[in-house]
Amino acid sequence: MPHSAWRIACVTGIGLAIVGGAAAQGPLDLIPAESVLGWYARPLPDKAAPSEGPSALQTILDLGTRIAGRPLDSRAQLTARLLEAFGLTVHYPHAIALVDARAKPIAEGAEGRQVDQLRCVLVVQTQKQSDPFRRIIQKVVNEQTDSQVATLGRKKAGSARYQELRDKRLPEWCVIAWGEIGEYFVLTVGDGVWPLVASVARGEAPSLSRDAWMAEVRHQPGHPTSARADGNGPPLLELFVDAQGIRERLDPFVNGRATAFFRGWEAEAMERGHWALGYEQRALYCVGNFLIEGQTRTRVYADPGLRSAPLLETIPEESRYAVFEVPLGDLIRRLVSGWYATRSPEVRESAAQAWERIKHARGIDPERDILAHLGEHAILHNDPPHPLHIPVAVTILVEIRDEPALVHKTLDSLCAAWQEQVERVADETGVPNPNSVQRDDDGVWYLQFGPIAGPAWIATDKFIIASWSPLALRSYLEKLGDVVGRSPSGK
C-alpha cells in the first residue's frame, strides 16, 4: 500500500466517527462492549466548548502555512489536521476506542507484520454542534483523496444517516465513516464499525459502560468514578484495557508480543484494567482497578489528600497538580521493557548493542547511576500554562532520593551521547536532520523539532524537572528555583 494511503488511514483513524442515541447518558454508552482499549474524557470545568469561529490552534496552523510561502506536503497537512482535531476534541466529552485489531505477515514466512484489520471509533458529545468536526474531515478529504480512486457514499444504519469513504489505495478493511444522531457525532474506521455503533446506540448491542465489571468498578460506593459526597464530580479521564482480549486476539498474529508486552510491565496476570483520574479541588486523584484471577484489586496512584510540605511547596499557587507515588526506577524499567517487547528481534538486538556501546564509551550505567537513585514521587502541574491549553503540556518533577551529583552527571552524559548519535547519522547519510537534541549554557536540555523547541529538562540536587518548552522550564525555575534545588554544577 502506498505510504500516502496509509497516512490517510492513520489520520482519519484518529478522527474516527460519531453516533448517538436518546437513551445514551454519555459517549461511553455508545462504545461497543467488545472494545479492547480506549479512554473516556471530559473537559476541564473551566474549558468550555469552543465557539463557531476558528480556534487558536487552527489560526496558528493556517498562519504558519502562509508564512512558509508554499503549501504543506501531504504528511505535514495530515499532522496539522490531527493537531486541529485533537485541540477541538478535548473541549468536549468524548470516548475513543480500539474495537479490534489483527495483523498478518508482510510475506509468507516473514518476521514483519502489517495491519490486517483495524476497527476504531470516536464518539464526541457535541450537542448537535458537529460542524467544526465535519470541516476538519472535509479538509482531509480535499487534501488527501482523489476522485478517481476514492468514493464517498451516503448510508443508513436503522434511522441514522452517515457518510462512508472508501479509497482504492487503502486495504479493504479501511473504511472511514462519520455521522450524527442526537447530540453525538461519530467517526469510525473499519468495515461495519459505524453500523455496529449505531446498533449500540439503539440498545441492540451491548455497550462498554454496561459491561458488568466496568459498571462495578465505575460505580462502587465511595469510588472516585461515582458521584462524590464531598461535592467533587466523576473523573475527567477514564482509561480501560482488556488485556486478556488483546493477548487472545493479537498473540497468534504477532508471535506472542502482546503477552511479552504485559510481561515487560509485570502485568502478565492482568485480565482487565481501569484507571480513573479526576480532581478534588486543585489536586488530581488517580485510582486503578485490575481484574486478576477473577478478583478486583485496587491501587491508589495519586492521593489528593497528601500533605507532604517538601512536595507541595514545589507547586505554584493556583495551579492544578498531581503527586504520584510509585517506585520511579521500577516504572521506567517496565516502560523500557514493554517497549522492547513490541519490537522485532532485529530491532531489539540493534538497540541493545547501541546501548552497550554508549555505556562503554561513556563509562556510565544509567540503571545503576540514575534509576537506582530515584525516589517514589513524581509531581505534575500545569504551571506555566500552555498557550493552547494542551492537557499533556505540563511540568514534571521526578524525585531524586540520593546521589544527585551522580544522577546529574550521568543524565548529561547520556543526553550528550544521544546528541552525538543524531549528528553522526546526519553526517553519514548526508541528510540534515531537522530534529535534534540541544543543550544551552544554563544546563537546560531540549528537543528541537524544526522551529519548535521542547520538551526541555534539567537535573537539580532534588529533582529531574521537565516542561513543555525551554521557556516554560526556565519560567518555572525562576519562580521556584530555590525550592526545587539548584543544578549540582552550580548553575
PDB file of all heavy atoms in Angstrom, residues 6 34 36 98-104 113-120 171-175 189-193 249-250 253:
ATOM      1  N   TRP A   6      -1.562   5.004   3.491  1.00  0.00           N
ATOM      2  CA  TRP A   6      -1.553   4.578   4.895  1.00  0.00           C
ATOM      3  C   TRP A   6      -1.719   5.778   5.814  1.00  0.00           C
ATOM      4  O   TRP A   6      -2.361   5.713   6.848  1.00  0.00           O
ATOM      5  CB  TRP A   6      -0.272   3.844   5.199  1.00  0.00           C
ATOM      6  CG  TRP A   6      -0.127   3.515   6.647  1.00  0.00           C
ATOM      7  CD1 TRP A   6       0.850   3.902   7.495  1.00  0.00           C
ATOM      8  CD2 TRP A   6      -1.023   2.718   7.425  1.00  0.00           C
ATOM      9  NE1 TRP A   6       0.623   3.412   8.744  1.00  0.00           N
ATOM     10  CE2 TRP A   6      -0.508   2.685   8.733  1.00  0.00           C
ATOM     11  CE3 TRP A   6      -2.219   2.054   7.140  1.00  0.00           C
ATOM     12  CZ2 TRP A   6      -1.147   1.997   9.752  1.00  0.00           C
ATOM     13  CZ3 TRP A   6      -2.845   1.368   8.165  1.00  0.00           C
ATOM     14  CH2 TRP A   6      -2.311   1.340   9.440  1.00  0.00           C
ATOM     15  N   GLU A  34     -17.218  -4.975  23.187  1.00  0.00           N
ATOM     16  CA  GLU A  34     -16.105  -5.828  22.765  1.00  0.00           C
ATOM     17  C   GLU A  34     -14.794  -5.059  22.600  1.00  0.00           C
ATOM     18  O   GLU A  34     -13.751  -5.658  22.318  1.00  0.00           O
ATOM     19  CB  GLU A  34     -16.447  -6.507  21.440  1.00  0.00           C
ATOM     20  CG  GLU A  34     -16.658  -5.531  20.300  1.00  0.00           C
ATOM     21  CD  GLU A  34     -17.485  -6.112  19.161  1.00  0.00           C
ATOM     22  OE1 GLU A  34     -18.712  -6.229  19.325  1.00  0.00           O
ATOM     23  OE2 GLU A  34     -16.872  -6.461  18.129  1.00  0.00           O
ATOM     24  N   VAL A  36     -11.265  -3.274  23.156  1.00  0.00           N
ATOM     25  CA  VAL A  36     -10.151  -3.773  23.971  1.00  0.00           C
ATOM     26  C   VAL A  36      -9.281  -2.676  24.564  1.00  0.00           C
ATOM     27  O   VAL A  36      -8.485  -2.927  25.472  1.00  0.00           O
ATOM     28  CB  VAL A  36      -9.256  -4.733  23.147  1.00  0.00           C
ATOM     29  CG1 VAL A  36     -10.026  -5.986  22.768  1.00  0.00           C
ATOM     30  CG2 VAL A  36      -8.689  -4.039  21.912  1.00  0.00           C
ATOM     31  N   LEU A  98     -10.387   1.284  20.590  1.00  0.00           N
ATOM     32  CA  LEU A  98      -9.958   0.283  19.620  1.00  0.00           C
ATOM     33  C   LEU A  98     -10.883  -0.909  19.803  1.00  0.00           C
ATOM     34  O   LEU A  98     -10.841  -1.587  20.831  1.00  0.00           O
ATOM     35  CB  LEU A  98      -8.504  -0.109  19.868  1.00  0.00           C
ATOM     36  CG  LEU A  98      -7.943  -1.244  19.016  1.00  0.00           C
ATOM     37  CD1 LEU A  98      -7.908  -0.863  17.547  1.00  0.00           C
ATOM     38  CD2 LEU A  98      -6.551  -1.637  19.497  1.00  0.00           C
ATOM     39  N   VAL A  99     -11.743  -1.142  18.831  1.00  0.00           N
ATOM     40  CA  VAL A  99     -12.703  -2.235  18.926  1.00  0.00           C
ATOM     41  C   VAL A  99     -12.024  -3.567  18.649  1.00  0.00           C
ATOM     42  O   VAL A  99     -12.254  -4.562  19.339  1.00  0.00           O
ATOM     43  CB  VAL A  99     -13.879  -2.013  17.954  1.00  0.00           C
ATOM     44  CG1 VAL A  99     -14.888  -3.156  18.061  1.00  0.00           C
ATOM     45  CG2 VAL A  99     -14.570  -0.684  18.251  1.00  0.00           C
ATOM     46  N   ASP A 100     -11.141  -3.581  17.666  1.00  0.00           N
ATOM     47  CA  ASP A 100     -10.449  -4.826  17.318  1.00  0.00           C
ATOM     48  C   ASP A 100      -9.232  -4.491  16.471  1.00  0.00           C
ATOM     49  O   ASP A 100      -9.176  -3.457  15.812  1.00  0.00           O
ATOM     50  CB  ASP A 100     -11.389  -5.754  16.543  1.00  0.00           C
ATOM     51  CG  ASP A 100     -10.867  -7.183  16.458  1.00  0.00           C
ATOM     52  OD1 ASP A 100      -9.909  -7.502  17.199  1.00  0.00           O
ATOM     53  OD2 ASP A 100     -11.399  -7.965  15.664  1.00  0.00           O
ATOM     54  N   ALA A 101      -8.252  -5.372  16.492  1.00  0.00           N
ATOM     55  CA  ALA A 101      -7.054  -5.220  15.668  1.00  0.00           C
ATOM     56  C   ALA A 101      -6.504  -6.598  15.343  1.00  0.00           C
ATOM     57  O   ALA A 101      -6.512  -7.494  16.192  1.00  0.00           O
ATOM     58  CB  ALA A 101      -5.997  -4.393  16.384  1.00  0.00           C
ATOM     59  N   ARG A 102      -6.054  -6.775  14.125  1.00  0.00           N
ATOM     60  CA  ARG A 102      -5.418  -8.022  13.681  1.00  0.00           C
ATOM     61  C   ARG A 102      -4.201  -7.661  12.839  1.00  0.00           C
ATOM     62  O   ARG A 102      -4.086  -6.560  12.317  1.00  0.00           O
ATOM     63  CB  ARG A 102      -6.384  -8.867  12.840  1.00  0.00           C
ATOM     64  CG  ARG A 102      -7.762  -9.075  13.449  1.00  0.00           C
ATOM     65  CD  ARG A 102      -7.778 -10.199  14.450  1.00  0.00           C
ATOM     66  NE  ARG A 102      -9.099 -10.317  15.080  1.00  0.00           N
ATOM     67  CZ  ARG A 102      -9.456 -11.320  15.882  1.00  0.00           C
ATOM     68  NH1 ARG A 102      -8.584 -12.281  16.144  1.00  0.00           N
ATOM     69  NH2 ARG A 102     -10.645 -11.358  16.423  1.00  0.00           N
ATOM     70  N   ALA A 103      -3.311  -8.623  12.703  1.00  0.00           N
ATOM     71  CA  ALA A 103      -2.117  -8.411  11.879  1.00  0.00           C
ATOM     72  C   ALA A 103      -1.859  -9.664  11.065  1.00  0.00           C
ATOM     73  O   ALA A 103      -2.393 -10.736  11.353  1.00  0.00           O
ATOM     74  CB  ALA A 103      -0.913  -8.091  12.761  1.00  0.00           C
ATOM     75  N   LYS A 104      -1.032  -9.532  10.029  1.00  0.00           N
ATOM     76  CA  LYS A 104      -0.651 -10.671   9.209  1.00  0.00           C
ATOM     77  C   LYS A 104       0.777 -10.478   8.741  1.00  0.00           C
ATOM     78  O   LYS A 104       1.293  -9.349   8.727  1.00  0.00           O
ATOM     79  CB  LYS A 104      -1.594 -10.820   8.017  1.00  0.00           C
ATOM     80  CG  LYS A 104      -1.521  -9.678   7.009  1.00  0.00           C
ATOM     81  CD  LYS A 104      -2.494  -9.909   5.860  1.00  0.00           C
ATOM     82  CE  LYS A 104      -2.432  -8.752   4.850  1.00  0.00           C
ATOM     83  NZ  LYS A 104      -3.393  -8.970   3.733  1.00  0.00           N
ATOM     84  N   ARG A 113       5.137  -7.807  10.374  1.00  0.00           N
ATOM     85  CA  ARG A 113       3.687  -7.891  10.308  1.00  0.00           C
ATOM     86  C   ARG A 113       3.118  -6.571   9.800  1.00  0.00           C
ATOM     87  O   ARG A 113       3.717  -5.513   9.943  1.00  0.00           O
ATOM     88  CB  ARG A 113       3.082  -8.183  11.691  1.00  0.00           C
ATOM     89  CG  ARG A 113       3.490  -9.538  12.268  1.00  0.00           C
ATOM     90  CD  ARG A 113       2.854 -10.673  11.469  1.00  0.00           C
ATOM     91  NE  ARG A 113       3.070 -11.978  12.063  1.00  0.00           N
ATOM     92  CZ  ARG A 113       4.106 -12.751  11.851  1.00  0.00           C
ATOM     93  NH1 ARG A 113       5.078 -12.325  11.053  1.00  0.00           N
ATOM     94  NH2 ARG A 113       4.212 -13.926  12.424  1.00  0.00           N
ATOM     95  N   GLN A 114       1.939  -6.648   9.189  1.00  0.00           N
ATOM     96  CA  GLN A 114       1.223  -5.461   8.774  1.00  0.00           C
ATOM     97  C   GLN A 114      -0.226  -5.589   9.214  1.00  0.00           C
ATOM     98  O   GLN A 114      -0.720  -6.687   9.492  1.00  0.00           O
ATOM     99  CB  GLN A 114       1.291  -5.273   7.258  1.00  0.00           C
ATOM    100  CG  GLN A 114       0.581  -6.350   6.462  1.00  0.00           C
ATOM    101  CD  GLN A 114       0.737  -6.153   4.961  1.00  0.00           C
ATOM    102  OE1 GLN A 114       1.599  -5.399   4.521  1.00  0.00           O
ATOM    103  NE2 GLN A 114      -0.089  -6.829   4.184  1.00  0.00           N
ATOM    104  N   VAL A 115      -0.892  -4.463   9.328  1.00  0.00           N
ATOM    105  CA  VAL A 115      -2.277  -4.465   9.794  1.00  0.00           C
ATOM    106  C   VAL A 115      -3.161  -5.215   8.816  1.00  0.00           C
ATOM    107  O   VAL A 115      -3.120  -4.995   7.607  1.00  0.00           O
ATOM    108  CB  VAL A 115      -2.787  -3.017   9.963  1.00  0.00           C
ATOM    109  CG1 VAL A 115      -4.264  -3.017  10.345  1.00  0.00           C
ATOM    110  CG2 VAL A 115      -1.969  -2.293  11.015  1.00  0.00           C
ATOM    111  N   ASP A 116      -3.949  -6.134   9.343  1.00  0.00           N
ATOM    112  CA  ASP A 116      -4.907  -6.882   8.535  1.00  0.00           C
ATOM    113  C   ASP A 116      -6.329  -6.433   8.843  1.00  0.00           C
ATOM    114  O   ASP A 116      -7.229  -6.608   8.037  1.00  0.00           O
ATOM    115  CB  ASP A 116      -4.762  -8.381   8.800  1.00  0.00           C
ATOM    116  CG  ASP A 116      -5.637  -9.215   7.883  1.00  0.00           C
ATOM    117  OD1 ASP A 116      -5.687  -8.910   6.675  1.00  0.00           O
ATOM    118  OD2 ASP A 116      -6.283 -10.161   8.372  1.00  0.00           O
ATOM    119  N   GLN A 117      -6.516  -5.866  10.015  1.00  0.00           N
ATOM    120  CA  GLN A 117      -7.822  -5.350  10.389  1.00  0.00           C
ATOM    121  C   GLN A 117      -7.650  -4.363  11.539  1.00  0.00           C
ATOM    122  O   GLN A 117      -6.929  -4.621  12.497  1.00  0.00           O
ATOM    123  CB  GLN A 117      -8.763  -6.473  10.835  1.00  0.00           C
ATOM    124  CG  GLN A 117     -10.128  -5.989  11.285  1.00  0.00           C
ATOM    125  CD  GLN A 117     -11.096  -7.127  11.545  1.00  0.00           C
ATOM    126  OE1 GLN A 117     -11.735  -7.614  10.631  1.00  0.00           O
ATOM    127  NE2 GLN A 117     -11.180  -7.556  12.784  1.00  0.00           N
ATOM    128  N   LEU A 118      -8.261  -3.217  11.420  1.00  0.00           N
ATOM    129  CA  LEU A 118      -8.237  -2.219  12.479  1.00  0.00           C
ATOM    130  C   LEU A 118      -9.628  -1.611  12.554  1.00  0.00           C
ATOM    131  O   LEU A 118     -10.141  -1.102  11.555  1.00  0.00           O
ATOM    132  CB  LEU A 118      -7.200  -1.138  12.172  1.00  0.00           C
ATOM    133  CG  LEU A 118      -6.885  -0.145  13.296  1.00  0.00           C
ATOM    134  CD1 LEU A 118      -6.174  -0.860  14.439  1.00  0.00           C
ATOM    135  CD2 LEU A 118      -6.033   0.988  12.765  1.00  0.00           C
ATOM    136  N   ARG A 119     -10.237  -1.680  13.729  1.00  0.00           N
ATOM    137  CA  ARG A 119     -11.606  -1.177  13.904  1.00  0.00           C
ATOM    138  C   ARG A 119     -11.604  -0.213  15.089  1.00  0.00           C
ATOM    139  O   ARG A 119     -11.331  -0.615  16.217  1.00  0.00           O
ATOM    140  CB  ARG A 119     -12.573  -2.332  14.131  1.00  0.00           C
ATOM    141  CG  ARG A 119     -12.471  -3.413  13.072  1.00  0.00           C
ATOM    142  CD  ARG A 119     -13.389  -4.589  13.364  1.00  0.00           C
ATOM    143  NE  ARG A 119     -14.767  -4.281  13.070  1.00  0.00           N
ATOM    144  CZ  ARG A 119     -15.810  -4.779  13.741  1.00  0.00           C
ATOM    145  NH1 ARG A 119     -15.599  -5.564  14.799  1.00  0.00           N
ATOM    146  NH2 ARG A 119     -17.034  -4.466  13.392  1.00  0.00           N
ATOM    147  N   CYS A 120     -11.876   1.049  14.804  1.00  0.00           N
ATOM    148  CA  CYS A 120     -11.810   2.100  15.823  1.00  0.00           C
ATOM    149  C   CYS A 120     -13.073   2.951  15.796  1.00  0.00           C
ATOM    150  O   CYS A 120     -13.763   3.030  14.776  1.00  0.00           O
ATOM    151  CB  CYS A 120     -10.617   3.017  15.579  1.00  0.00           C
ATOM    152  SG  CYS A 120      -9.040   2.176  15.367  1.00  0.00           S
ATOM    153  N   PRO A 171      -6.377  -0.638   2.087  1.00  0.00           N
ATOM    154  CA  PRO A 171      -6.851  -2.028   2.164  1.00  0.00           C
ATOM    155  C   PRO A 171      -8.361  -2.077   2.351  1.00  0.00           C
ATOM    156  O   PRO A 171      -8.996  -1.094   2.760  1.00  0.00           O
ATOM    157  CB  PRO A 171      -6.103  -2.579   3.389  1.00  0.00           C
ATOM    158  CG  PRO A 171      -5.724  -1.376   4.184  1.00  0.00           C
ATOM    159  CD  PRO A 171      -5.483  -0.281   3.198  1.00  0.00           C
ATOM    160  N   GLU A 172      -8.945  -3.230   2.082  1.00  0.00           N
ATOM    161  CA  GLU A 172     -10.404  -3.356   2.120  1.00  0.00           C
ATOM    162  C   GLU A 172     -10.984  -3.035   3.487  1.00  0.00           C
ATOM    163  O   GLU A 172     -12.104  -2.535   3.597  1.00  0.00           O
ATOM    164  CB  GLU A 172     -10.818  -4.777   1.690  1.00  0.00           C
ATOM    165  CG  GLU A 172     -10.554  -5.076   0.217  1.00  0.00           C
ATOM    166  CD  GLU A 172     -11.075  -6.445  -0.182  1.00  0.00           C
ATOM    167  OE1 GLU A 172     -11.716  -7.100   0.681  1.00  0.00           O
ATOM    168  OE2 GLU A 172     -10.866  -6.858  -1.325  1.00  0.00           O
ATOM    169  N   TRP A 173     -10.228  -3.333   4.564  1.00  0.00           N
ATOM    170  CA  TRP A 173     -10.762  -3.096   5.894  1.00  0.00           C
ATOM    171  C   TRP A 173     -10.852  -1.615   6.238  1.00  0.00           C
ATOM    172  O   TRP A 173     -11.607  -1.212   7.131  1.00  0.00           O
ATOM    173  CB  TRP A 173      -9.911  -3.791   6.967  1.00  0.00           C
ATOM    174  CG  TRP A 173      -8.473  -3.348   7.027  1.00  0.00           C
ATOM    175  CD1 TRP A 173      -7.398  -3.971   6.467  1.00  0.00           C
ATOM    176  CD2 TRP A 173      -7.954  -2.178   7.672  1.00  0.00           C
ATOM    177  NE1 TRP A 173      -6.248  -3.268   6.725  1.00  0.00           N
ATOM    178  CE2 TRP A 173      -6.555  -2.162   7.462  1.00  0.00           C
ATOM    179  CE3 TRP A 173      -8.537  -1.148   8.416  1.00  0.00           C
ATOM    180  CZ2 TRP A 173      -5.736  -1.161   7.961  1.00  0.00           C
ATOM    181  CZ3 TRP A 173      -7.716  -0.143   8.907  1.00  0.00           C
ATOM    182  CH2 TRP A 173      -6.329  -0.157   8.681  1.00  0.00           C
ATOM    183  N   CYS A 174     -10.098  -0.768   5.521  1.00  0.00           N
ATOM    184  CA  CYS A 174     -10.003   0.643   5.900  1.00  0.00           C
ATOM    185  C   CYS A 174     -11.144   1.445   5.281  1.00  0.00           C
ATOM    186  O   CYS A 174     -11.002   2.107   4.263  1.00  0.00           O
ATOM    187  CB  CYS A 174      -8.659   1.222   5.495  1.00  0.00           C
ATOM    188  SG  CYS A 174      -8.387   2.855   6.208  1.00  0.00           S
ATOM    189  N   VAL A 175     -12.298   1.372   5.929  1.00  0.00           N
ATOM    190  CA  VAL A 175     -13.483   2.125   5.543  1.00  0.00           C
ATOM    191  C   VAL A 175     -13.690   3.213   6.597  1.00  0.00           C
ATOM    192  O   VAL A 175     -13.732   2.925   7.788  1.00  0.00           O
ATOM    193  CB  VAL A 175     -14.720   1.220   5.464  1.00  0.00           C
ATOM    194  CG1 VAL A 175     -15.949   2.022   5.073  1.00  0.00           C
ATOM    195  CG2 VAL A 175     -14.477   0.074   4.490  1.00  0.00           C
ATOM    196  N   VAL A 189     -13.399   3.888  11.870  1.00  0.00           N
ATOM    197  CA  VAL A 189     -12.516   3.261  10.890  1.00  0.00           C
ATOM    198  C   VAL A 189     -12.742   1.759  10.985  1.00  0.00           C
ATOM    199  O   VAL A 189     -12.750   1.192  12.079  1.00  0.00           O
ATOM    200  CB  VAL A 189     -11.035   3.589  11.157  1.00  0.00           C
ATOM    201  CG1 VAL A 189     -10.124   2.735  10.278  1.00  0.00           C
ATOM    202  CG2 VAL A 189     -10.755   5.068  10.907  1.00  0.00           C
ATOM    203  N   GLY A 190     -12.937   1.127   9.832  1.00  0.00           N
ATOM    204  CA  GLY A 190     -13.166  -0.313   9.815  1.00  0.00           C
ATOM    205  C   GLY A 190     -14.499  -0.650   9.181  1.00  0.00           C
ATOM    206  O   GLY A 190     -15.503   0.056   9.382  1.00  0.00           O
ATOM    207  N   ASP A 191     -14.510  -1.719   8.428  1.00  0.00           N
ATOM    208  CA  ASP A 191     -15.726  -2.138   7.738  1.00  0.00           C
ATOM    209  C   ASP A 191     -16.786  -2.554   8.743  1.00  0.00           C
ATOM    210  O   ASP A 191     -16.547  -3.398   9.606  1.00  0.00           O
ATOM    211  CB  ASP A 191     -15.400  -3.299   6.791  1.00  0.00           C
ATOM    212  CG  ASP A 191     -16.457  -3.466   5.716  1.00  0.00           C
ATOM    213  OD1 ASP A 191     -17.368  -2.615   5.641  1.00  0.00           O
ATOM    214  OD2 ASP A 191     -16.373  -4.448   4.949  1.00  0.00           O
ATOM    215  N   GLY A 192     -17.953  -1.936   8.678  1.00  0.00           N
ATOM    216  CA  GLY A 192     -19.075  -2.304   9.531  1.00  0.00           C
ATOM    217  C   GLY A 192     -19.051  -1.712  10.925  1.00  0.00           C
ATOM    218  O   GLY A 192     -19.928  -2.013  11.741  1.00  0.00           O
ATOM    219  N   VAL A 193     -18.086  -0.851  11.234  1.00  0.00           N
ATOM    220  CA  VAL A 193     -17.999  -0.313  12.596  1.00  0.00           C
ATOM    221  C   VAL A 193     -19.091   0.715  12.853  1.00  0.00           C
ATOM    222  O   VAL A 193     -19.711   0.726  13.925  1.00  0.00           O
ATOM    223  CB  VAL A 193     -16.614   0.294  12.866  1.00  0.00           C
ATOM    224  CG1 VAL A 193     -16.524   0.804  14.302  1.00  0.00           C
ATOM    225  CG2 VAL A 193     -15.519  -0.736  12.605  1.00  0.00           C
ATOM    226  N   ARG A 249      -6.400 -11.950  20.927  1.00  0.00           N
ATOM    227  CA  ARG A 249      -6.620 -11.550  19.537  1.00  0.00           C
ATOM    228  C   ARG A 249      -5.312 -11.305  18.782  1.00  0.00           C
ATOM    229  O   ARG A 249      -5.236 -11.555  17.574  1.00  0.00           O
ATOM    230  CB  ARG A 249      -7.478 -10.277  19.500  1.00  0.00           C
ATOM    231  CG  ARG A 249      -8.863 -10.472  20.098  1.00  0.00           C
ATOM    232  CD  ARG A 249      -9.708  -9.226  19.958  1.00  0.00           C
ATOM    233  NE  ARG A 249     -10.829  -9.219  20.891  1.00  0.00           N
ATOM    234  CZ  ARG A 249     -11.790  -8.311  20.906  1.00  0.00           C
ATOM    235  NH1 ARG A 249     -11.770  -7.341  20.030  1.00  0.00           N
ATOM    236  NH2 ARG A 249     -12.760  -8.366  21.803  1.00  0.00           N
ATOM    237  N   LEU A 250      -4.291 -10.792  19.487  1.00  0.00           N
ATOM    238  CA  LEU A 250      -3.074 -10.406  18.786  1.00  0.00           C
ATOM    239  C   LEU A 250      -1.955 -11.435  18.838  1.00  0.00           C
ATOM    240  O   LEU A 250      -1.170 -11.545  17.891  1.00  0.00           O
ATOM    241  CB  LEU A 250      -2.555  -9.080  19.339  1.00  0.00           C
ATOM    242  CG  LEU A 250      -3.324  -7.824  18.924  1.00  0.00           C
ATOM    243  CD1 LEU A 250      -2.672  -6.588  19.519  1.00  0.00           C
ATOM    244  CD2 LEU A 250      -3.391  -7.699  17.408  1.00  0.00           C
ATOM    245  N   PHE A 253      -1.005 -13.590  15.901  1.00  0.00           N
ATOM    246  CA  PHE A 253      -0.589 -12.908  14.675  1.00  0.00           C
ATOM    247  C   PHE A 253       0.719 -12.139  14.828  1.00  0.00           C
ATOM    248  O   PHE A 253       1.301 -11.698  13.837  1.00  0.00           O
ATOM    249  CB  PHE A 253      -1.693 -11.935  14.227  1.00  0.00           C
ATOM    250  CG  PHE A 253      -3.044 -12.584  14.110  1.00  0.00           C
ATOM    251  CD1 PHE A 253      -4.008 -12.403  15.094  1.00  0.00           C
ATOM    252  CD2 PHE A 253      -3.359 -13.392  13.035  1.00  0.00           C
ATOM    253  CE1 PHE A 253      -5.244 -13.001  15.002  1.00  0.00           C
ATOM    254  CE2 PHE A 253      -4.601 -14.009  12.927  1.00  0.00           C
ATOM    255  CZ  PHE A 253      -5.544 -13.806  13.916  1.00  0.00           C
TER     256      PHE A 253
END
